[in-house]
Amino acid sequence: MHAEVDRYAVMGNPVQHSLSPLIHTWFAEQTHQALVYEAIEVPLDGFPEAVARFQGEGGRGLNVTVPFKEAAWELADERSARAEEAGAVNTLVLRDDGGRFGDNTDGVGLVRDLERLGWPLAGRRLLILGAGGAVRGVLGPLLATAPREVVIANRTLARAEALVDRFQGRGALSARRFEDLNGAAFDVVINGTSASLAGELPPVPEACVRGACVYDMMYGARPTPFLEWAVAGGARHSADGLGMLVEQAAEAFFVWRGVRPQTAQVLLDLRERLARGC
Ligand code: NDP
């Protein structure tokens, strides 16, 4: 069954504060695509049913956010190479025949945002903080930019080591505890922990951020606690993850519609809206 206007949505829990409906509505206006996009909060035990219902009602595609990205990977009957490597899906294409194509646009979103910022990655030393779903999703595209070295530091060392195993052979990748980073210097530091969500800081030695370009995947109206700390500690440049959010959305839009929206103005407008508190 087809809805009159193509329907898309983001599913997550919680999802009411998601900026995705706004971003995709702006993309649709800009590219003259007729579609509607909504946020659907899904019960923790109800994701497969919610996807089936949305698809049954004619829904054409979904973004998937915390905590359903692995479940979305399971539900896809065909996946892109980048979704396969991430073990997680943030974009589903829902086909008329009931099929589901799963993709992951988080990594390419981050890399495009770093390109926009003009932060070089090839031949550079990268420090990635955290070893959860977000980091697993971005590692492949980051390694594809040919950095000299990538160190993953995580509170639970075993999770960082598991990522090193998963991406074995893709570059100079190693796992460390935060306390073992003493004395190490990096060109680019990416915070992929969820520490900022709780207003906490990952225990990184200050020397790691001195002179570095420092990125926090988290974003907000104000600089995150991690970015404030890094700038005070001598970071050369800093940026939050709003650009990554917009770029991953643009890539999802392209996967669904075959049209690539412009992102620069959308990012500026979104930043202004966040600053105004709406
Ligand atoms: P997960 O729950 O999968 O992983 C959380 C990670 O953070 C783990 O490595 C965990 O360590 C670490 N961690 C949590 N609290 C602390 C702390 N107090 N100190 C040190 N380490 C801590 O989360 P995700 O990977 O899904 O998300 C991580 C972040 O990325 C979130 O802030 C999320 O908002 C952001 N994100 C942003 C996106 C964007 O588009 N901008 C897209 C996707 C995610 P341990 O393993 O020891 O528990």
Side-chain angles (χ1 to χ4, degrees):
M1 180 178 82
H2 263 303
E4 280 181 12
V5 177
D6 289 349
R7 282 181 68 201
Y8 295 85
V10 55
M11 288 188 175
N13 186 333
V15 84
Q16 63 271 27
H17 295 301
S18 171
L19 294 172
S20 293
L22 187 59
I23 295 172
H24 283 282
T25 301
W26 284 348
F27 284 165
E29 284 167 12
Q30 181 204 109
T31 58
H32 309 291
Q33 297 283 304
L35 61 88
V36 290
Y37 187 111
E38 62 196 298
I40 301 177
E41 184 149 315
V42 172
L44 293 176
D45 60 354
F47 182 68
E49 296 78 10
V51 173
R53 195 175 319 119
F54 188 74
Q55 189 164 14
E57 290 166 2
R60 307 301 300 265
L62 286 169
N63 281 138
V64 181
T65 187
V66 176
F68 299 123
K69 290 185 187 180
E70 279 89 1
W73 185 92
E74 301 269 350
L75 279 186
D77 42 44
E78 193 191 335
R79 301 179 200 99
S80 66
R82 57 195 183 189
E84 212 62 281
E85 142 182 289
V89 157
N90 79 334
T91 303
L92 280 168
V93 178
L94 305 176
R95 299 197 165 119
D96 289 342
D97 63 2
R100 294 160 182 166
F101 173 74
D103 202 348
N104 191 312
T105 65
D106 282 333
V108 74
L110 173 63
V111 169
R112 290 220 177 106
D113 197 38
L114 296 174
E115 281 167 1
R116 175 190 66 85
L117 290 161
W119 298 2
L121 298 173
R124 305 303 156 116
R125 296 157 303 175
L126 263 63
L127 172 62
I128 302 181
L129 310 174
V135 170
R136 200 175 61 213
V138 301
L139 258 184
L142 281 176
L143 287 166
T145 67
R148 188 199 319 168
E149 174 187 21
V150 178
V151 174
I152 306 173
N154 196 45
R155 196 170 55 179
T156 311
L157 182 65
R159 289 184 85 188
E161 288 173 337
L163 285 183
V164 171
D165 284 349
R166 187 179 181 101
F167 288 85
Q168 190 106 49
R170 297 281 307 277
L173 189 60
S174 61
R176 290 208 214 150
R177 291 194 170 81
F178 289 113
E179 54 269 33
D180 295 335
L181 289 170
N182 259 323
F186 296 92
D187 300 300
V188 177
V189 178
I190 298 170
N191 182 18
T193 73
S194 51
S196 287
L197 285 175
E200 292 171 4
L201 288 172
V204 190
E206 204 172 84
C208 294
V209 297
R210 202 169 299 135
C213 297
V214 179
Y215 194 94
D216 197 341
M217 287 199 209
M218 170 139 166
Y219 52 82
R222 292 178 33 75
T224 66
F226 178 71
L227 291 181
E228 283 185 327
W229 169 82
V231 168
R236 191 151 58 96
H237 297 294
S238 66
D240 73 6
L242 193 66
M244 172 180 172
L245 179 78
V246 173
E247 292 296 344
Q248 65 75 29
E251 183 72 8
F253 194 91
F254 178 72
V255 169
W256 292 325
R257 310 295 298 184
V259 180
R260 198 172 282 289
Q262 299 291 318
T263 51
Q265 190 59 45
V266 169
L267 178 56
L268 286 175
D269 292 348
L270 214 51
R271 181 71 72 194
E272 198 221 349
R273 249 183 118 101
L274 274 183
R276 280 193 282 119
C278 41

